[in-house]
Structures are given as structure tokens and as C-alpha cells.
Amino acid sequence: MATNEDLYELPDDRAALLLRDAMDRTTADLPPLPDLVGPARAQGRRRKARVRVAIGGGALAVAALALAGAVAPPGGGGGPQAGGAANVAAPPSSSAPPPPVHLEPTPGQSSMADLPAAERIRQEDFQNRAVGVLQGLLPPSVGTVRRTDLSVRLYQGSKDDKAFVIIFSVRPAEPADTGSPCHEARGEVCARATLPGGIEAAAATAPVNDGNVTETRLSFRYGKSKVSLVVSPHDASNTSAPVTNDQLLHLAKSPAFLDLVKSADAEPVEKQQQTIPGG
């Protein structure tokens, strides 16, 4: 048998032949190699089948979660057993307008309940829009703004057990009515401002009742209508209207308020006030 030293002294081709012969003799007594191709192919098929089953199971699980989220009641329990990610917050209750303040009509006076159903719904819709605008633009001192069920022009602000009557009116006007009186008499304090579109508006704070309290009012002419907004005092506690002239003039410049006025001017919710000659 050739040694390593002998191999180093032989030509390259002769050394290669001897090395191959030695390797053949060394491996002749070893058992044959197992067939790896067949089992590997079978194992690959089994693995692919398991992957398909896993993918199908995952898709079914996703579909089940989606179905559970679709049929779950709004605002349902959001504990860990509910799945967590499937929870969707319900709309806040504040998105719904507060219920109206009920006011009993005086003898001979009509209320919104006497209106035809379609007109009552139209006026209530306008009131709800007005509540949203007034609540956002009047100062917090006025409190929570609510509509009343007596008249489309009557609202109420409530804070600290005090109720402030609010009159918001957009009424068809006579041509001579400028809609912005400002007298500055009998203790009245007046302020003026120019609204978008060159509209002249006036706000006034004036003593009422026995003169110990004041109301604050805004007025101007818009299109074919006379616009007025009045915040009255709380008589029982001798509390003046909790809003200033400047605050009402700032409110009048708001696009949201002017859009509300524009809609009422185009489709009036009030009738034109009748003037009695000599009255």
C-alpha cells in the first residue's frame, strides 16, 4: 500500500489513481446510503399540506373575528374576553341634542305641538341646529343651551340652578326695518360692529324689570329678515344676563351663526310680525 510520502513522489495522474483506489477500498464495506430523495419528497409534501391547513385555519379565524365584530352589540363589554381589537367606540351621547324644555302655553296661546307634523319637524330641526351653534358660541357662563317646545324662537340657558331665557329670531322684516336699533338711553350701553358682507350690527345691554338686572341683545338686518338674539336675566336671583355686548358681536361674526341665519332667511321658520297702525 502506497504511503503519503510515496504519493508525493508520483506524477499527478498516478497519485490520483492510487488515491481513488484507496477510497474505494475504504468504503466498500460500508452499508449502502439510504434513499434520501423519496423520503425528502414525501416529507416536503406533508409539510406543504400542513402549511395549507395552517393558512386555511388562519383565514377561518380571521373570518370568525370579523363576523364576531360585525354582530357584537354597540358599546358591548370591552374586557379581555371580548377580543380587545374588535371594540369600536360608540358615538358620544353628547352628539344628540338635549331634550326640549317644556313650557305650558298661556290661555289662548298656541305651541309647537299645535303645528302640522311636517312643519313641527322642520322647526324642531332648525332649533336643534341653533342649539348646537349657540352652545358653541355663547360664553360658558350661559350654561347648557336647550330649545323649548313652546316656540321656535325660544331657548334656555341653564347654569348653577339659574335659567336664562334666550330669544333667537330670524323673522321676515318690513323694508323700513333696519333691525339694528341702538338708543343709548335709560342706562342702555350700546356697541356696533360690521359683520362679513358689510352688515351693520348693534348690541346693547339695558336694565330691565326694576332696573336691578340687565339683559343683553343683538340685532341686525340680513337679506329679507330681521335678526335678533336676546339673553335675559334670571329674575328670581336678580342675576343679569351673563353675556356682554362684545361677546354677542363676536358671535354674530361667526360663519356658523351666519350660515344658520342665511338658512332661516331663505326658508323662514317664523311669520312676519304684523305692525298695528297707532298701536
Side-chain angles (χ1 to χ4, degrees):
M1 182 177 179
T3 63
N4 291 341
E5 289 78 1
D6 295 335
L7 291 177
Y8 290 141
E9 295 176 357
L10 294 174
D12 291 343
D13 54 349
R14 178 61 177 165
L17 289 174
L18 290 175
L19 181 60
R20 179 178 300 174
D21 181 66
M23 292 177 62
D24 290 341
R25 288 196 303 273
T26 303
T27 59
D29 296 332
L30 296 176
L33 291 172
D35 182 11
L36 298 177
V37 176
R41 183 181 298 114
Q43 184 177 4
R45 286 196 296 267
R46 289 194 297 271
R47 182 173 298 172
K48 183 181 295 184
R50 287 196 300 268
V51 170
R52 287 175 177 171
V53 171
I55 293 175
L60 289 174
V62 171
L65 286 175
L67 180 60
V71 301
Q81 69 277 13
N87 295 335
V88 178
S93 59
S94 59
S95 61
V101 176
H102 175 66
L103 297 177
E104 285 289 339
T106 59
Q109 183 184 25
S110 62
S111 71
M112 293 178 66
D114 301 318
L115 295 171
E119 178 62 17
R120 177 176 53 81
I121 292 173
R122 188 176 78 93
Q123 292 191 15
E124 288 177 350
D125 177 68
F126 177 81
Q127 281 186 313
N128 288 331
R129 289 162 53 204
V131 166
V133 172
L134 295 175
Q135 186 70 76
L137 295 177
L138 285 170
S141 54
V142 176
T144 301
V145 178
R146 298 168 62 187
R147 67 181 182 89
T148 74
D149 61 1
L150 181 62
S151 170
V152 68
R153 65 203 300 263
L154 284 180
Y155 302 81
Q156 179 179 285
S158 299
K159 186 177 178 64
D160 299 332
D161 297 326
K162 298 175 183 177
F164 304 98
V165 175
I166 300 172
I167 299 175
F168 172 49
S169 173
V170 184
R171 170 175 287 178
E174 297 178 354
D177 192 347
T178 61
S180 57
C182 195
H183 304 297
E184 294 191 345
R186 298 181 299 276
E188 180 176 299
V189 179
C190 192
R192 295 180 181 274
T194 301
L195 309 184
I199 299 171
E200 294 296 324
T205 298
V208 292
N209 301 337
D210 58 2
N212 293 330
V213 291
T214 58
E215 72 175 14
T216 308
R217 54 181 180 263
L218 166 78
S219 60
F220 59 91
R221 177 73 181 261
Y222 186 99
K224 299 174 292 183
S225 303
K226 176 181 179 180
V227 182
S228 62
L229 177 61
V230 181
V231 182
S232 299
H234 182 239
D235 296 333
S237 63
N238 285 326
T239 303
S240 295
V243 61
T244 67
N245 290 346
D246 289 342
Q247 287 172 329
L248 288 190
L249 290 174
H250 180 74
L251 175 149
K253 296 178 182 179
S254 167
F257 182 75
L258 290 176
D259 284 346
L260 189 64
V261 170
K262 180 179 179 180
S263 68
D265 180 63
E267 298 181 4
V269 291
E270 295 184 70
K271 296 180 179 179
Q272 182 174 352
Q273 186 174 5
Q274 301 297 322
T275 303
I276 301 175

